[in-house]
Amino acid sequence: MNNTEIAKKVIEALGGRENVNSVAHCATRLRVMVKDEGKIDKNTVENLEKVQGAFFNSGQYQIIFGTGTVNKIYD
């Protein structure tokens, strides 16, 4: 699966674009603010190719992709 396909799968698993308030990234993580945490299919996110883990912290759903990969998924 290429990075564009992974990004599309992430959006779907987050409950669609309508459930996403904002997206940012740091060196290793995609940081997502969602409207409704209950709409996230966490199992799907955590089992996507290249995902190394995912969790909530400070109101953000953080998906770990790793250095050099996260910025490609973000783009």
Side-chain angles (χ1 to χ4, degrees), residues 15-64:
R17 289 179 185 258
E18 61 277 358
N19 194 41
V20 176
N21 279 330
S22 64
V23 180
H25 71 87
C26 64
T28 60
R29 300 176 186 164
L30 192 65
R31 299 170 180 263
V32 185
M33 298 293 290
V34 295
K35 295 175 185 171
D36 183 353
E37 179 182 347
K39 291 183 178 180
I40 298 173
D41 183 344
K42 295 176 184 175
N43 188 50
T44 296
V45 171
E46 292 176 8
N47 287 297
L48 283 171
E49 186 178 330
K50 298 186 182 182
V51 171
Q52 298 176 14
F55 59 93
F56 261 94
N57 186 29
S58 302
Q60 292 180 331
Y61 190 54
Q62 299 184 19
I63 306 168
I64 305 167

